[in-house]
């Protein structure tokens, strides 16, 4: 009687594990390989239930019926496993699908022969009931065709295991752990099957075949919990992770890390957070990553940027979060975060920005940039008004004609340097034309405007430029105007007025400042 209870107990464990697996995997069948895995578990469940009922009934006919029903699981399980392994590893091509269909067809023919064996006697030679203690079981001897049919099982399954091994070899990280769990969770039932078939004396006769499903199911359930098996397809990881140098982090909808690549491990280590499978992003509380974590937890497709110091150097990064949708595009099952360093890109962008706003020769603002800053600054409010200067280098054409344009460029850069020595940090200088410069003096009184203009003129006059040992003096003419506080000054009108003042300076002998107050 104790042997009967042992068999019932073992079967009950297996059936419970199978039901739990079906409930879990049915929710994940939209993932690649998910529907095939549901079929695999269903076949195992048929086997377990049939084996369970066989232990409960008595009489030849009833026991034979349930034994035949167990063969549905026995014959379809290897093909279902192969179907799953090829789909899970991404090799379910047209030829593979045709092979799977052919194997299902062949195994179905064998099942029909088993259920009709009472009339055809093609699969079995003898069937009898034997007693082991108080327990009765069916003992079946297979015919040559039946033996051949059973011998196909390990061949079919081995190909599936080879596919998993090859996939495991070419992957890494959490996906490697997923495949490892699936491999051993599936291998245990097959090992038990082959041992019981080939070496029955080593396996206790009253331990049902379906008992082996229990430890295998526990292993796979552990994989579901620990590594989110069938939650996010490892196929995407296999094809993307090793193709890019960017960091990749895959998370569940609640922000739990389920996979990452080597680049992410290195980058996160530099960030000081160290991603780890099973951890939650929110565990790495740091101000720089708040936007990233928010995008992951809300599953928003968004880009966040942050600057962080690594080994004493400031470096820029961006993280693009992509929601992962289910096969039918209806549900979001997680997120992929792409971590990319953009320090060099930022530097080049800043250089382009500078080039777009500065004069290539002198390094000061170009005409368009100066006009934009003029409009921006004068649009605000000030208590004292603004000073505006227009500067022209005296007789600059003669300098170019006599000494050449290269020396002329040298003079332009020198004049700018002398002007910058004479103005304040807040003042803005731009090159308006060939040898013409404009200066905006924010929040400046009328007296200060006149003083700064005169200081610039004198500073340039005192300096000299060297040409082959010859000292050359350069002077400038300045038109200076003060504009009382006012919101919104029209650039063209203001500079037309200042240009007239500059013309006065040049007409009155050059090397002088003409000052006026611009009335709006």
């Amino acid at each position: 009687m104790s042997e009967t209870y042992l068999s019932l107990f073992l079967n009950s464990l297996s059936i419970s594990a199978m039901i739990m697996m079906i409930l879990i995997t049915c929710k994940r069948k939209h993932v690649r390989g998910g529907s095939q895995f549901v079929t695999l578990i269903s076949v195992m469940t048929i086997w377990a239930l049939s084996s369970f009922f066989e232990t409960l009934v008595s009489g030849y006919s009833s026991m034979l019926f349930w034994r035949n029903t167990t063969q549905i699981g026995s014959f379809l399980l290897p093909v279902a496993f192969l179907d799953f392994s090829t789909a899970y590893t991404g090799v379910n091509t047209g030829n593979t699908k045709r092979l799977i269909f052919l194997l299902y067809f062949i195994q179905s023919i064998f099942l029909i022969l088993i259920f009709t064996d009472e009339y055809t006697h093609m699969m079995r030679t003898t069937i009898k009931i034997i007693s082991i203690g108080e327990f009765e079981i069916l003992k079946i001897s297979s015919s040559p065709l039946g033996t051949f049919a059973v011998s196909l099982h390990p061949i079919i399954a081995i190909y599936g295991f080879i596919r998993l091994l090859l996939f495991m070899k070419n992957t890494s990280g959490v996906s490697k752990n997923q495949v490892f769990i699936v491999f051993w969770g599936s291998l245990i039932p097959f090992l038990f099957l082959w041992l019981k078939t080939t070496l029955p004396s080593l396996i206790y006769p009253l331990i049902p075949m379906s008992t082996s499903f229990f430890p295998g199911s526990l292993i796979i359930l552990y994989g579901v919990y620990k590594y989110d098996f069938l939650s996010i397809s490892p196929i995407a990881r296999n094809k993307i992770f090793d193709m890019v140098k960017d960091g990749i982090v895959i998370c569940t909808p609640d922000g739990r890390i389920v996979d990452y690549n080597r680049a992410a491990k290195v980058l996160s280590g530099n960030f000081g957070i160290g991603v780890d499978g099973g951890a939650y992003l929110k565990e790495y509380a740091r101000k720089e990553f708040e936007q990233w974590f928010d995008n992951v937890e809300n599953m928003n497709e968004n880009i966040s940027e942050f600057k962080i110091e690594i080994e004493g150097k400031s470096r820029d990064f961006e993280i693009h979060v992509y929601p992962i949708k289910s096969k039918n595009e209806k549900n979001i099952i997680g997120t992929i975060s792409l971590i990319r360093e953009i320090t060099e890109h930022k530097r080049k962008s800043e250089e382009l920005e500078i080039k777009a706003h500065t004069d290539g020769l002198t390094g000061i603002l170009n005409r368009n940039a100066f006009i934009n800053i003029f409009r921006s600054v004068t649009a605000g409010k000030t208590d004292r008004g603004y000073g505006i200067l227009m500067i022209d280098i005296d007789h600059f054409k003669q300098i170019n004609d006599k000494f050449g344009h290269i020396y002329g460029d040298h003079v332009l850069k020198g004049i700018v340097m002398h002007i910058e020595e004479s103005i304040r940090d807040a003042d803005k200088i731009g090159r308006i034309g060939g040898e013409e410069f404009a200066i905006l003096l924010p929040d400046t009184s009328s007296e200060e405007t006149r003083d700064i203009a005169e200081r610039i003129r004198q500073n340039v006059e005192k300096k000299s430029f060297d040409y082959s040992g010859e000292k050359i003096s350069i002077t400038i003419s300045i038109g200076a105007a003060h504009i009382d506080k006012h919101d919104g000054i029209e650039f063209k009108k203001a500079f037309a007025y200042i240009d007239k003042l500059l013309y006065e300076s040049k007409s009155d002998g050059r090397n002088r400042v003409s000052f006026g107050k611009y009335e709006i």
Side-chain angles (χ1 to χ4, degrees):
M1 185 62 69
S2 60
E3 295 171 340
T4 302
Y5 288 143
L6 173 63
S7 180
L8 291 173
F9 175 73
L10 294 175
N11 266 299
S12 298
L13 287 178
S14 298
I15 292 169
S16 300
M18 293 300 98
I19 292 174
M20 186 179 298
M21 288 296 296
I22 288 177
L23 293 174
I24 292 174
T25 54
C26 275
K27 296 179 180 179
R28 305 185 178 198
K29 61 182 180 181
H30 52 268
V31 179
R32 184 179 296 182
S35 59
Q36 290 84 355
F37 192 76
V38 171
T39 301
L40 176 64
I41 299 300
S42 298
V43 170
M44 293 170 67
T45 304
I46 291 172
W47 194 343
L49 284 170
S50 303
S51 178
F52 178 75
F53 287 123
E54 185 183 347
T55 61
L56 296 179
V57 301
S58 60
Y60 178 87
S61 298
S62 297
M63 294 175 67
L64 181 60
F65 172 80
W66 288 112
R67 173 61 64 89
N68 289 343
T69 307
T70 63
Q71 299 308 297
I72 297 175
S74 176
F75 275 76
L76 297 186
L77 181 61
V79 186
F81 174 73
L82 178 61
D83 190 18
F84 160 72
S85 62
T86 54
Y88 184 72
T89 57
V91 294
N92 55 337
T93 59
N95 289 334
T96 304
K97 290 179 179 178
R98 283 189 283 272
L99 173 62
I100 297 297
F101 177 82
L102 177 62
L103 291 174
Y104 269 125
F105 178 78
I106 292 173
Q107 297 297 73
S108 297
I109 295 297
F110 287 140
L111 284 173
I112 292 173
L113 293 177
I114 287 174
F115 277 91
T116 60
D117 188 73
E118 184 178 356
Y119 309 101
T120 62
H121 305 291
M122 294 180 65
M123 299 293 287
R124 296 156 175 168
T125 55
T126 60
I127 304 174
K128 58 183 178 180
I129 296 178
I130 63 172
S131 297
I132 301 178
E134 298 179 358
F135 201 79
E136 291 185 338
I137 63 171
L138 282 178
K139 182 173 178 58
I140 297 176
S141 299
S142 298
S143 67
L145 179 60
T147 302
F148 170 77
V150 173
S151 67
L152 290 177
H153 297 179
I155 297 174
I156 297 171
I158 286 172
Y159 179 60
F161 283 113
I162 291 174
R163 291 308 321 163
L164 289 178
L165 285 172
L166 290 175
F167 184 75
M168 185 163 52
K169 179 183 178 182
N170 296 322
T171 191
S172 59
V174 176
S175 285
K176 193 181 190 75
N177 294 330
Q178 286 185 359
V179 181
F180 182 83
I181 290 293
V182 174
F183 180 86
W184 285 105
S186 304
L187 183 61
I188 289 175
F190 283 105
L191 285 176
F192 190 93
L193 168 64
W194 297 331
L195 286 173
K196 193 170 179 76
T197 303
T198 57
L199 301 170
S201 60
L202 294 180
I203 307 297
Y204 188 56
L206 296 183
I207 299 178
M209 294 296 303
S210 58
T211 301
S212 59
F213 301 152
F214 180 68
S217 298
L218 289 181
I219 292 175
I220 294 176
L221 284 171
Y222 173 77
V224 169
Y225 170 75
K226 180 67 176 178
Y227 301 111
D228 262 63
F229 170 61
L230 288 183
S231 176
I232 300 174
S233 174
I235 305 304
R237 188 261 177 223
N238 185 52
K239 290 185 177 180
I240 296 175
F241 275 31
D242 298 325
M243 292 173 59
V244 296
K245 295 181 180 179
D246 299 334
I248 302 176
V249 179
I250 297 180
C251 295
T252 59
D254 58 352
R256 182 161 60 88
I257 300 171
V258 296
D259 209 351
Y260 52 88
N261 67 350
R262 296 186 188 93
K265 189 71 174 177
V266 173
L267 288 173
S268 64
N270 290 333
F271 300 160
I273 62 175
V275 295
D276 189 20
Y280 288 83
L281 280 180
K282 59 187 177 183
E283 295 177 12
Y284 307 116
R286 188 163 176 170
K287 185 177 180 181
E288 292 93 333
F289 311 130
E290 287 180 355
Q291 184 61 50
W292 173 27
F293 297 167
D294 183 67
N295 291 335
V296 169
E297 291 184 356
N298 292 298
M299 293 179 287
N300 295 326
E301 182 173 346
N302 205 351
I303 300 177
S304 58
E305 293 186 9
F306 62 89
K307 189 184 294 288
I308 194 168
E309 188 171 296
I310 300 175
E311 296 179 352
K313 294 182 179 180
S314 179
R315 291 162 65 176
D316 295 280
F317 294 86
E318 72 173 16
I319 301 181
H320 197 156
V321 176
Y322 297 90
I324 305 174
K325 294 186 178 180
S326 61
K327 200 172 184 179
N328 57 15
E329 297 290 323
K330 292 182 179 180
N331 303 310
I332 296 178
I333 59 176
T335 58
I336 293 179
S337 297
L338 297 184
I339 308 171
R340 178 181 295 121
E341 182 170 0
I342 56 172
T343 306
E344 187 66 17
H345 174 73
K346 277 274 190 181
R347 183 186 66 80
K348 290 181 179 179
S349 295
E350 289 170 357
E351 288 177 356
L352 290 174
E353 184 75 13
I354 291 172
K355 288 181 180 179
H357 291 85
T358 58
D359 175 59
L361 176 65
T362 60
I364 60 177
L365 295 171
N366 59 27
R367 180 183 178 87
N368 289 336
F370 181 84
I371 292 173
N372 289 334
I373 287 181
F374 175 87
R375 289 170 176 165
S376 174
V377 172
T378 58
K381 293 182 178 181
T382 176
D383 293 331
R384 299 194 299 165
Y386 310 94
I388 304 175
L389 312 180
M390 183 76 84
I391 300 173
D392 184 81
I393 301 175
D394 296 332
H395 305 296
F396 186 71
K397 185 178 183 302
Q398 294 178 15
I399 295 172
N400 277 333
D401 292 343
K402 183 177 181 180
F403 302 107
H405 288 280
I406 294 178
Y407 185 76
D409 291 345
H410 171 67
V411 170
L412 287 172
K413 290 188 285 188
I415 293 294
V416 168
M417 181 182 68
H418 299 327
I419 292 174
E420 288 179 329
E421 291 173 352
S422 306
I423 61 178
R424 304 164 302 180
D425 292 339
D427 299 334
K428 306 297 180 183
I429 177 173
R431 186 180 178 188
I432 302 302
E435 68 271 19
E436 288 187 342
F437 304 92
I439 301 175
L440 173 64
L441 309 173
D443 192 27
T444 305
S445 67
S446 176
E447 292 76 12
E448 286 176 326
T449 300
R450 189 193 300 268
D451 291 344
I452 292 173
E454 186 60 32
R455 184 166 67 241
I456 292 172
R457 187 197 65 78
Q458 293 179 10
N459 193 25
V460 172
E461 184 183 26
K462 292 175 183 178
K463 307 294 181 181
S464 61
F465 293 83
D466 182 78
Y467 182 80
S468 300
E470 180 184 353
K471 299 293 183 180
I472 300 172
S473 297
I474 305 292
T475 61
I476 59 174
S477 298
I478 302 176
H482 182 264
I483 304 174
D484 287 332
K485 53 185 178 179
H486 192 278
D487 296 340
I489 304 170
E490 189 173 341
F491 176 82
K492 287 184 178 180
K493 290 183 178 180
F495 270 76
Y497 174 75
I498 300 166
D499 197 47
K500 289 180 181 179
L501 294 174
L502 174 62
Y503 180 76
E504 288 180 12
S505 294
K506 298 179 76 67
S507 298
D508 292 345
R510 296 183 172 84
N511 190 24
R512 58 168 294 171
V513 174
S514 296
F515 179 79
K517 288 189 176 183
Y518 178 63
E519 301 293 338
I520 299 177

